[in-house]
Amino acid sequence: MLHQLFSRGLSIYPRVYMQFAALVGLLIAAEFSMGTLSMMLTQRAVYRVSQRLRRVQRRRDASRRTRDEHIDGNCCA
């Protein structure tokens, strides 16, 4: 019965069916695009945080080396 109703609806309202199918397709495409965009933005944010952490670590290492050189007496006196 559902199949008969569905096929009758297709024959009576083909334009409405096509518009509905197009709308569903657009919604699926939009969902996929938003998911992809979200993933790209997340990856970018993770990359930026990791770069920031690397910069901080390099600064710490440089200041530690400088401090160690002064403690060892290797500074210019």
Side-chain angles (χ1 to χ4, degrees):
M1 178 166 156
L2 185 61
H3 176 55
Q4 289 175 348
L5 181 63
F6 187 70
S7 62
R8 185 180 302 149
L10 286 180
S11 63
I12 295 173
Y13 302 107
R15 186 173 178 184
V16 172
Y17 171 74
M18 290 303 292
Q19 287 176 344
F20 180 72
L23 179 63
V24 169
L26 284 173
L27 288 174
I28 291 171
E31 180 68 27
F32 176 75
S33 296
M34 290 302 291
T36 303
L37 179 63
S38 173
M39 183 178 64
M40 289 169 55
L41 291 175
T42 302
Q43 287 177 345
R44 177 75 177 149
V46 167
Y47 175 77
R48 291 178 70 189
V49 167
S50 67
Q51 289 297 102
R52 192 175 303 138
L53 289 174
R54 285 185 189 143
R55 270 187 251 126
V56 168
Q57 187 63 39
R58 274 190 236 126
R59 276 192 225 123
R60 283 184 189 153
D61 291 343
S63 68
R64 187 174 298 132
R65 278 193 302 268
T66 305
R67 187 179 63 234
D68 289 346
E69 287 173 0
H70 285 288
I71 291 173
D72 292 341
N74 293 334
C75 64
C76 331

